[in-house]
């Protein structure tokens, strides 16, 4: 194995072990052990971080997506006017080019992270605003590169689901997009 791949494999193993330890600490250990684990700052915060994906600005995800590979397919939120939400105020909305998203997936594969990917979260605020063809390309790339993926999810505004045809939504579902958080 190349030295970089060997080091990356160790980092990925470290992240996987930390995930198991954190889960066990949260579910079955005294609170003091859980707090002690949370103080560790030398671990990557996500699989994407461990694989060298560089995120633009703060990345938000639902709690259920804590193990997911986060792919930033958009930057910011397409609406960004909700009075209760301050998550994307510092970002101007734009779609990330599909080629960049695919290059990030290839980076995860290159460093040996593909076998760790079970769930993928399409970030930022609203991936469903992307044209169906663009989403299909991204979903196909996810399925090609991560054979163990079992769930793909995204934030979504109701107006963007309403703007897609039943056929378009069926295409997305058939390619693995199974959860949207409204």
């Amino acid at each position: 194995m190349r030295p970089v791949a060997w080091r990356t494999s160790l980092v990925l193993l470290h992240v996987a072990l930390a995930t198991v330890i954190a889960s066990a600490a949260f579910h079955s250990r005294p609170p003091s052990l859980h707090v002690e684990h949370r103080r560790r700052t030398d671990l990557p915060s996500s699989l994407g971080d461990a694989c060298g994906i560089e995120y633009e600005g703060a990345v938000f995800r639902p709690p259920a997506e804590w193990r997911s590979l986060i792919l930033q397919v958009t930057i910011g939120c397409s609406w960004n006017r909700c009075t209760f939400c301050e998550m994307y105020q510092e970002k101007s909305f734009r779609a990330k080019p599909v080629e960049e998203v695919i290059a990030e997936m290839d980076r995860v594969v290159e460093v040996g992270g593909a076998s760790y990917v079970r769930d993928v979260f399409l970030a930022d605020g609203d991936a469903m605003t992307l044209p169906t063809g663009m989403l299909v390309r991204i979903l196909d790339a996810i399925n090609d590169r991560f054979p163990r993926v079992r769930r793909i999810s995204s934030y979504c505004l109701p107006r963007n689901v309403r703007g897609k045809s039943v056929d378009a939504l069926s295409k997305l579902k058939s390619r693995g997009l199974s959860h949207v958080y409204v």
Side-chain angles (χ1 to χ4, degrees), residues 4-19 42-52 111 116:
V4 172
W6 181 78
R7 266 184 268 139
T8 303
S9 294
L10 280 179
V11 169
L12 292 171
L13 178 60
H14 198 75
V15 169
L17 288 173
T19 300
D42 58 337
L43 296 173
S45 62
S46 71
L47 179 59
D49 288 334
C51 294
V111 299
Y116 295 94

Side-chain angles (χ1 to χ4, degrees), residues 118-167:
R118 302 288 186 281
D119 305 317
V120 176
F121 181 72
L122 305 177
D124 259 349
D126 184 12
M128 291 294 285
T129 195
L130 297 176
T132 302
M134 193 173 184
L135 282 169
V136 164
R137 284 184 59 202
I138 292 168
L139 295 171
D140 285 346
I142 289 169
N143 289 309
D144 288 345
R145 286 156 179 81
F146 308 117
R148 298 173 123 184
V149 75
R150 60 183 179 199
R151 184 180 65 165
I152 304 169
S153 58
S154 169
Y155 281 135
C156 170
L157 291 174
R159 68 188 176 113
N160 291 326
V161 171
R162 194 174 56 232
K164 297 208 181 291
S165 68
V166 172
D167 182 51

Side-chain angles (χ1 to χ4, degrees), residues 11 32 43 46 55 66 70 75 77 100 135 152 162 169:
V11 169
S32 61
L43 296 173
S46 71
Y55 297 108
W66 69 280
I70 299 171
I75 307 300
C77 176
E100 282 184 38
L135 282 169
I152 304 169
R162 194 174 56 232
L169 293 170

